[in-house]
Amino acid sequence: MAQQTEQDAPKIEFPCPDYPIKIIGRAAPDFKELVIDIVRKHAPDLDLKKIDEQPSSKGTFTSVRMKITATGADQLDALHQELKATGRVQMVI
């Protein structure tokens, strides 16, 4: 019997509609627009009506939540890399 050495990650079937993304960064007036511009490059069908922005309790950070149609791991990796490359995104969940 083969021993499993690492836990299998949950499998995502692509395309995956309504794939949730949460992007956290330092609060700034243009943070939401910056995030939307980048996400739309990778997910052109982004529904702007379904985007939620929420400040942290002290107002230092803000989170932007949205759902995209994920087409594959390459799309998600490229999106994550471009968001982090701005230097303004702290975390992508």
Side-chain angles (χ1 to χ4, degrees), residues 32 48-54 63-66:
K32 181 178 173 184
L48 298 177
K49 293 182 214 101
K50 294 184 178 179
I51 296 173
D52 179 44
E53 182 178 23
Q54 184 170 355
S63 70
V64 181
R65 288 184 297 210
M66 61 190 71

Side-chain angles (χ1 to χ4, degrees), residues 73-91:
D74 291 344
Q75 173 209 32
L76 296 175
D77 289 342
L79 174 57
H80 184 266
Q81 292 301 320
E82 189 169 348
L83 286 166
K84 292 294 282 182
T86 65
R88 297 180 58 192
V89 173
Q90 304 291 320
M91 193 179 318

